[in-house]
Amino acid sequence: IFYSADPAMAGIVELGQNMKIENVTGLAADATYYYLLGERRNGTERIQGVHRLPRAALADPMAEPTTIAEFTMGTTFTGRALYVDNTTSATVLYTRNVGFSVGNQVLAVVNPGAAEPLFIGPILRLGTTADYAMTYDSADNAIYLFETETDTNRRILSVN
């Protein structure tokens, strides 16, 4: 179920729901789409990765999301970072995927709202399986992430 909350007003508003997506661990949005990190149900099959759902489709709980990046997330779903570079019209989507089977990697999708998004896969492999934190700063067009793989004293790394 998707909700909206206005900090200036009390309460929340239900926007809609989608029965085809589950185990969502990350959410990003631009003016046209919601981008969901989780599993898309396709019959009995579960497709892991990033899925796109038009904002207008929330009125239909059976609307079919589009998978724009398919990759293994493992069986333990924990919160993961998912960001778009522009909330009006995203040109790059970033996510941090952490797991014992995949290690620690930052993945990217170019033009996630286009008819043919390009999943370019890992753009950085850094961090241990305990390093989850990541953000995107549109002011300087950089990813910031926490890592302990190369510095056991811990550090925040900027990637432009």
Side-chain angles (χ1 to χ4, degrees):
I1 299 176
F2 293 79
Y3 295 99
S4 175
D6 184 340
M9 299 174 64
I12 58 173
V13 175
E14 183 177 327
L15 300 175
Q17 58 183 308
N18 186 277
M19 304 304 289
K20 304 278 187 160
I21 296 286
E22 57 189 31
N23 296 319
V24 174
T25 61
L27 172 68
D30 64 15
T32 308
Y33 294 103
Y34 291 107
Y35 302 97
L36 305 130
L37 180 61
E39 289 183 313
R40 178 173 66 90
R41 289 194 292 179
N42 185 17
T44 59
E45 182 183 20
R46 302 289 188 263
I47 301 168
Q48 296 181 349
V50 178
H51 315 284
R52 177 179 74 194
L53 186 66
R55 286 177 174 257
L58 289 184
D60 177 6
M62 298 307 289
E64 194 66 47
T66 301
T67 300
I68 61 171
E70 185 176 343
F71 52 88
T72 300
M73 294 173 54
T75 56
T76 304
F77 292 96
T78 56
R80 290 182 174 87
L82 183 66
Y83 296 96
V84 291
D85 67 334
N86 185 302
T87 57
T88 301
S89 180
T91 56
V92 182
L93 177 144
Y94 301 99
T95 187
R96 191 168 190 185
N97 190 26
V98 181
F100 292 106
S101 63
V102 297
N104 194 320
Q105 51 193 357
V106 176
L107 309 167
V109 179
V110 177
N111 296 322
E116 297 288 329
L118 177 61
F119 176 45
I120 59 175
I123 59 170
L124 179 66
R125 295 178 191 269
L126 182 64
T128 70
T129 54
D131 299 338
Y132 292 97
M134 181 181 93
T135 194
Y136 177 80
D137 184 352
S138 60
D140 61 2
N141 197 30
I143 296 170
Y144 290 89
L145 57 91
F146 177 84
E147 71 92 13
T148 60
E149 181 179 12
T150 62
D151 186 344
T152 56
N153 291 321
R154 300 166 186 86
R155 71 179 179 148
I156 296 175
L157 178 69
S158 170
V159 182
N160 312 62

